[in-house]
Amino acid sequence: MKILLTAFEPFGGEPVNPAQEAVAKVKDTIAGAEIVKVSVPVVFGKAIETVRAAMEKEQPDAVLCIGQAGGRFGLTPERVAINVDDGRIPDNEGNQPVDKPIFKDGAPAYFATLPVKAMVAAIREAGLPASLSNSAGTYVCNHLMYGVLYYISKCWPTMRGGFMHVPYLHEQVMNKPNTPSLSTGDIVTGIEAALQAIVENSSDAKLILGETH
């Protein structure tokens, strides 16, 4: 089995991105699966094209994209991506689309085809905070997740794909009082637990992880 694991570069004035820092330290083999890593620019359009090219080259069985969600407490696999770009801040090349469809011929939304609930359970079993997220936002993270699932639906229907957000690193919150964070090592452990869950679960677990709001 082969899994394509992607991570975004720093953005928004941050000197590092916990996704990039952690993914670089993830093992190259998890539960017998080969892990292929790709760094992704935080740029609308280029992010999708970078990962699409890697998907075409590597022909992985699954794609897991990792991004930073500053302010979140734990690791959060994403359930759904929506077909809209609405940048709260400019990307790393100054682009800031507002209310733009990602693909005009795409569905309004695509659901992750990874075992997201099993991933949450595996991360918790590793001793780390995790929850299922129902919004990947409207910035480049959602943009990339939607693009991956769009191309899977159009080109590689047997491939699985999805996205997971990770919190800030400790060093990023020195001047952000009361903001949650994790160490690089903990984020690495959480990502590796999620990857193992992908390898071991061809379908998702039936767990109660919904929210009331």
Side-chain angles (χ1 to χ4, degrees), residues 36-174:
V36 179
K37 304 170 186 177
V38 174
S39 183
V40 182
V42 182
V43 179
F44 289 102
K46 286 186 178 180
I48 291 175
E49 285 308 303
T50 297
V51 178
R52 184 205 58 76
M55 292 162 70
E56 186 169 13
K57 176 185 176 183
E58 300 293 342
Q59 293 292 307
D61 298 285
V63 182
L64 175 60
C65 304
I66 307 293
Q68 168 190 294
R72 290 192 185 180
F73 175 72
L75 291 85
T76 54
E78 298 293 341
R79 193 198 299 259
V80 62
I82 60 174
N83 192 11
V84 64
D85 286 334
D86 194 4
R88 183 182 62 82
I89 59 174
D91 67 15
N92 283 358
E93 291 189 354
N95 306 297
Q96 192 173 9
V98 175
D99 299 337
K100 300 289 187 182
I102 301 169
F103 286 102
K104 290 183 179 179
D105 65 338
Y110 290 110
F111 284 90
T113 50
L114 298 177
V116 289
K117 289 188 173 182
M119 291 161 64
V120 170
I123 297 166
R124 289 177 176 177
E125 287 170 9
L128 295 166
S131 60
L132 183 62
S133 170
N134 294 300
S135 175
T138 56
Y139 193 54
V140 186
C141 290
N142 174 79
H143 176 86
L144 177 58
M145 180 182 175
Y146 184 92
V148 166
L149 295 171
Y150 170 89
Y151 279 114
I152 286 174
S153 73
K154 300 288 185 181
C155 306
W156 302 291
T158 62
M159 196 182 293
R160 295 186 292 165
F163 195 101
M164 183 167 73
H165 274 113
V166 299
Y168 281 136
L169 297 172
H170 293 324
E171 56 263 39
Q172 291 179 275
V173 301
M174 297 298 290

